[in-house]
Amino acid sequence: DSQVKNRINAYLYSIASDASKPRGIRAYATYVLALGGHTGAVRNAQNLLAGAAPDFATFLAGAALIRANYAGEGGEAVTRAMNAEVWRENNMPYEFADEACRCGMTLSILSEIMPESPHALKLAEALRRKLRPDDNGWGTTHANAWHTRTLRLCRPYGKRNFAGQTGLFFRENR
């Protein structure tokens, strides 16, 4: 229903635009707005990136720009964030604060916005290392959901692409 969508967008936009909220929360709201095609996502993402050192919010804001058809600007931000390995941040004030969850979220989003990224293998290996030996997956329902979604998108290790490279590749038909 369009009324519900408008209310959700208004709520997300209020979070994304509130400078008193943590950058990661604002960036996540901005990314979700971009997924829905909200025009305010571009401005919010650009504001988040202005003069900021690479952090997890940089990754999400860059991904939002890519989703909003600003691939050049967004791709640069995502690459900066990936080079800084922002999924390893500690003590972040938001729900996706543990590394296992951020790793799964990052690989899942990266598989959709930059499927040929050289960082995918590093993230997949980190995902594998975070798997708990006590049959509890990655430790939380949130982390398990991101990792399960990511695994659904990934082809297994060892598959060779057309150039003969071995690695992690993403399905063409999602």
Side-chain angles (χ1 to χ4, degrees):
D1 161 278
S2 63
Q3 264 188 333
V4 172
K5 182 180 178 183
N6 289 340
R7 288 178 58 200
I8 291 169
N9 279 338
Y11 172 72
L12 288 169
Y13 189 75
S14 72
I15 291 171
S17 303
D18 185 349
S20 70
K21 301 277 187 209
R23 280 176 48 79
I25 296 294
R26 291 174 24 228
Y28 190 57
T30 297
Y31 178 72
V32 175
L33 286 168
L35 286 174
H38 192 284
T39 57
V42 172
R43 184 175 55 252
N44 285 343
Q46 290 168 332
N47 288 340
L48 283 161
L49 293 173
D55 61 2
F56 197 70
T58 302
F59 170 73
L60 291 171
L65 286 172
I66 291 170
R67 287 292 194 170
N69 297 316
Y70 284 71
E73 187 177 353
E76 288 176 14
V78 167
T79 299
R80 274 195 331 269
M82 292 291 85
N83 288 340
E85 298 185 359
V86 297
W87 66 88
R88 297 185 192 278
E89 288 179 358
N90 290 314
N91 304 316
M92 295 291 100
Y94 33 85
E95 292 78 14
F96 42 89
D98 73 330
E99 186 178 331
C101 187
R102 283 191 315 276
C103 180
M105 180 189 291
T106 304
L107 185 54
S108 179
I109 293 170
L110 191 66
S111 73
E112 295 180 334
I113 61 168
M114 296 176 82
E116 300 297 321
S117 172
H119 298 284
L121 281 174
K122 186 183 291 188
L123 282 160
E125 178 58 24
L127 182 148
R128 187 193 62 75
R129 283 193 318 270
K130 291 290 178 186
L131 189 58
R132 294 169 50 137
D134 61 3
D135 293 330
N136 285 317
W138 288 272
T140 66
T141 302
H142 197 185
N144 289 344
W146 279 111
H147 289 290
T148 301
R149 181 180 191 286
T150 301
L151 290 172
R152 185 185 63 79
L153 297 172
C154 294
R155 290 184 181 170
Y157 282 100
K159 179 114 180 163
R160 293 189 184 276
N161 69 6
F162 65 91
Q165 298 166 318
T166 301
L168 181 68
F169 303 99
F170 297 97
R171 294 193 174 124
E172 292 150 15
N173 299 319
R174 293 188 184 116

